[in-house]
Amino acid sequence: MEISTSNLSHWQVPQRQSPAAILIMLWGISLKLLKALWPILILYLFKNEKDNDSLMMFWIIIGFSALSLTGAIIGYWFKKFHIKDETLIIESGWLKKKTLSIPVQSIQAVHLEQNIWQQMMKVAKVSFDSTGSGKAEVKLDALSMEKAEQLKHLLMEKVNMEPAYVLKKPLENQNKYTLDFADLVRLSLTANHLEAFFILLALGLNIFNEVEQIFDGSEYIDSYSQQLIGPTVIFLCALFIGVAIISILFSFIRTMVQFYGFELMDSGMRWTISFGLFDRTKKIIPINKIQILSWRANWLRRKFDYWTLHVQSVGHQENRKSNIQIPVTSFDRVIKLAKDYQEFFGIEYAASFKIEPDYWKRKSLKKGLPFTLLPMIIAFYWIGWQALGLMVIFPFLIWYYYRWYQHFRWQTNERGIQILSGFFGRKFTLLSWKKIQQVHIHQNLYQRNHQLANVIFITAGGKVSLPYLSLSTARALVDHVLYDVESKEESWM
């Protein structure tokens, strides 16, 4: 899609979002209110006498609904945006005015997202990744799809992220990668079920704690507490098994829904990614904005040759929804995608380097002992001296850290550094020299006494660490990196 001069002048006039933004903001406010007030609603539903409070509860709900609707309308009416002097300006607020100015050249990526409501209303949320934006989320809640696409292409052309010849390049000349239904099933079956298990377990404990506080001292708890003491152990075991089964189903469905309709178009200069069933997301990743590229697989996914490509671009922040995870169905496909960033021919064990053995010894003491002693102390109050059986955890952790140390490798080439880590799973990390903005040598007290050091590479998209190198190796590596960066004077974007 080409942006004409008339279209450019159109974006220079302050304008509002689509009216659908009112409903979207209202939905968001309603969810926040529901999360905050659900304990009160539960207490109200379980109370015996409701007649005296029914009218009050009714008016409270009406009042909150009216305030939410008013807030959504005000938010929509006073939120405007336009482009002026190569700057994207977003104004919002009524009593408290807020103006957010983003230089177009600092915008690193433009993302389009659609949840199920936005798809029904044919609008999209437009979010922007920019340098220096910190934790502030820069977004427009609802633009028509046509305007959202126009704004995306306009901004990306202005920062030379999407040249005209790339836009006009025929689709048949681009590499297309998709996931079919069988791929989705295998991907979902090999998902991190343990993560979902702990999420559900934590959620269940939180709900139980909230309900317990609501009914604290209530006749319901007093009348049934004695009856629940007997089958407590059976109940907890059944609960544990039930949560485990539900967590597998939950992570399976979550992965299927998240990556439904996954498609990646590789033009050689950028990746265009779209995925999602209910929340449809479209992201564009310019190759020159990628700072760190890594891919990993857990033990089960390695057996199926399934990998997750993790992209850290400019402005990357940990635990952020905008972070980009790309599922890939074979190692060869990963290598082909990674080629756009840096050539990778595998880790040569004979020519690569290891870290010092002090790493696994220190890890065993600093993490192995606490992970062993704390469960033993807690279990001692429940089962007495039988808790000593938990000592088997310590030799297992020693074995794990030793094997992790044995598998860790790093190597360098003309363009950057490549790292292999992991024991049960595997993680490969690529970092190009030209992306490095700072490099540090870090030493704790033990490392200073034993002539060891960590080397930390800092980029605009995060950092990469090499732990427990000999001090001489660390200094030589830092000198090599600084010389390479300063002598070549390549742009990091």
Side-chain angles (χ1 to χ4, degrees):
M1 180 183 299
E2 297 186 25
I3 306 299
S4 64
T5 306
S6 60
N7 281 336
L8 177 58
S9 62
H10 167 73
W11 292 102
Q12 294 174 346
V13 179
Q15 53 192 286
R16 297 184 179 90
Q17 304 176 85
S18 167
I22 298 176
L23 297 177
I24 293 171
M25 286 188 283
L26 185 61
W27 175 255
I29 294 172
S30 301
L31 288 179
K32 290 180 180 178
L33 287 174
L34 184 61
K35 290 179 181 179
L37 299 177
W38 72 266
I40 298 176
L41 294 175
I42 290 179
L43 179 60
Y44 172 76
L45 292 174
F46 277 88
K47 290 184 66 176
N48 285 329
E49 299 180 0
K50 299 180 182 179
D51 296 336
N52 297 332
D53 298 330
S54 296
L55 187 61
M56 181 180 293
M57 179 62 68
F58 173 78
W59 284 113
I60 288 175
I61 294 174
I62 294 296
F64 274 119
S65 301
L67 287 174
S68 301
L69 180 59
T70 303
I73 295 174
I74 291 175
Y76 162 76
W77 189 259
F78 286 93
K79 187 168 186 177
K80 297 180 181 180
F81 63 97
H82 65 286
I83 298 174
K84 180 181 179 181
D85 299 329
E86 302 298 321
T87 302
L88 175 64
I89 300 174
I90 302 177
E91 300 172 332
S92 60
W94 173 36
L95 298 176
K96 184 179 179 180
K97 295 286 186 180
K98 180 181 177 182
T99 301
L100 182 61
S101 300
I102 310 170
V104 173
Q105 291 296 331
S106 71
I107 295 176
Q108 307 304 320
V110 181
H111 306 301
L112 305 185
E113 299 178 39
Q114 288 182 295
N115 58 31
I116 188 171
W117 305 113
Q118 290 166 327
Q119 292 180 50
M120 292 174 60
M121 292 181 282
K122 298 182 179 180
V123 297
K125 182 179 81 171
V126 185
S127 58
F128 312 92
D129 291 344
S130 63
T131 56
S133 61
K135 294 184 179 180
E137 185 177 8
V138 184
K139 66 174 183 176
L140 296 171
D141 294 290
L143 292 183
S144 66
M145 283 302 300
E146 181 181 359
K147 293 184 69 173
E149 290 283 356
Q150 285 183 0
L151 180 60
K152 179 193 68 175
H153 289 310
L154 174 62
L155 292 174
M156 298 185 75
E157 283 182 347
K158 279 183 168 292
V159 294
N160 297 320
M161 292 163 57
E162 196 172 68
Y165 77 86
V166 175
L167 291 176
K168 298 176 182 178
K169 188 175 181 179
L171 291 178
E172 58 268 19
N173 293 337
Q174 300 185 27
N175 296 320
K176 183 177 180 180
Y177 167 60
T178 61
L179 294 178
D180 58 27
F181 183 75
D183 292 331
L184 279 174
V185 171
R186 287 192 289 268
L187 186 70
S188 302
L189 287 174
T190 57
N192 190 350
H193 304 307
L194 191 61
E195 177 188 5
F197 171 78
F198 284 115
I199 290 174
L200 289 177
L201 187 62
L203 179 63
L205 292 175
N206 180 65
I207 293 175
F208 178 79
N209 183 60
E210 294 283 354
V211 174
E212 186 180 30
Q213 292 181 11
I214 292 173
F215 292 104
D216 187 25
S218 173
E219 57 179 313
Y220 295 101
I221 297 296
D222 294 337
S223 60
Y224 291 106
S225 59
Q226 296 298 324
Q227 301 178 28
L228 294 175
I229 294 177
T232 298
V233 175
I234 298 176
F235 171 76
L236 290 177
C237 291
L239 179 64
F240 184 87
I241 296 172
V243 170
I245 295 174
I246 294 174
S247 66
I248 294 175
L249 293 175
F250 173 77
S251 61
F252 180 90
I253 295 173
R254 182 181 62 174
T255 305
M256 287 284 290
V257 169
Q258 179 183 0
F259 292 109
Y260 177 84
F262 180 89
E263 180 180 281
L264 185 150
M265 299 295 296
D266 179 12
S267 70
M269 293 191 66
R270 62 183 175 94
W271 296 340
T272 303
I273 305 172
S274 58
F275 56 88
L277 178 59
F278 301 118
D279 294 341
R280 192 68 185 170
T281 301
K282 184 176 182 179
K283 295 179 179 289
I284 296 180
I285 311 172
I287 301 301
N288 63 330
K289 306 297 181 182
I290 298 176
Q291 302 295 296
I292 303 169
L293 193 66
S294 61
W295 59 94
R296 67 184 71 188
N298 57 33
W299 178 84
L300 188 57
R301 282 187 173 171
R302 285 176 57 204
K303 302 302 180 182
F304 287 91
D305 197 19
Y306 269 59
W307 301 81
T308 301
L309 193 64
H310 186 62
V311 180
Q312 291 179 237
S313 56
V314 177
H316 168 92
Q317 294 180 18
E318 295 296 334
N319 302 319
R320 191 178 174 190
K321 291 182 179 180
S322 61
N323 291 344
I324 299 171
Q325 311 266 351
I326 303 174
V328 186
T329 54
S330 73
F331 195 82
D332 290 337
R333 284 184 180 270
V334 175
I335 302 304
K336 290 179 181 178
L337 288 172
K339 183 180 180 181
D340 293 333
Y341 173 78
Q342 184 184 137
E343 290 277 4
F344 180 77
F345 300 102
I347 299 292
E348 300 179 12
Y349 272 75
S352 59
F353 303 97
K354 300 177 64 174
I355 57 178
E356 297 298 318
D358 298 70
Y359 174 86
W360 72 267
K361 299 173 184 177
R362 292 284 294 171
K363 280 287 186 179
S364 299
L365 291 175
K366 290 182 65 176
K367 290 192 174 181
L369 278 179
F371 272 107
T372 303
L373 293 177
L374 288 178
M376 281 179 56
I377 294 172
I378 295 173
F380 179 79
Y381 290 96
W382 290 82
I383 59 177
W385 293 106
Q386 295 179 2
L388 292 176
L390 294 176
M391 289 183 64
V392 298
I393 297 176
F394 188 58
F396 170 78
L397 291 176
I398 293 176
W399 172 76
Y400 171 78
Y401 288 124
Y402 176 70
R403 296 291 291 169
W404 192 95
Y405 148 77
Q406 283 188 317
H407 283 88
F408 190 95
R409 290 289 189 280
W410 64 277
Q411 64 187 25
T412 61
N413 55 36
E414 293 182 357
R415 295 193 59 185
I417 188 170
Q418 303 174 345
I419 302 172
L420 166 64
S421 60
F423 172 38
F424 294 115
R426 289 289 186 273
K427 178 182 178 181
F428 295 85
T429 303
L430 306 185
L431 171 62
S432 294
W433 299 134
K434 65 180 181 180
K435 305 296 183 180
I436 297 174
Q437 296 187 332
Q438 299 178 38
V439 57
H440 298 161
I441 291 180
H442 178 268
Q443 291 178 292
N444 57 33
L445 181 60
Y446 176 86
Q447 290 172 324
R448 286 197 297 270
N449 293 332
H450 292 78
Q451 296 295 298
L452 300 171
N454 299 334
V455 177
I456 302 174
F457 306 98
I458 299 177
T459 74
K463 61 183 181 180
V464 174
S465 299
L466 275 179
Y468 280 80
L469 304 180
S470 67
L471 185 58
S472 59
T473 302
R475 287 173 175 169
L477 179 59
V478 170
D479 291 341
H480 172 73
V481 172
L482 293 176
Y483 173 78
D484 187 278
V485 173
E486 293 174 0
S487 61
K488 292 183 179 178
E489 296 183 352
E490 294 179 317
S491 173
W492 58 278
M493 286 201 302

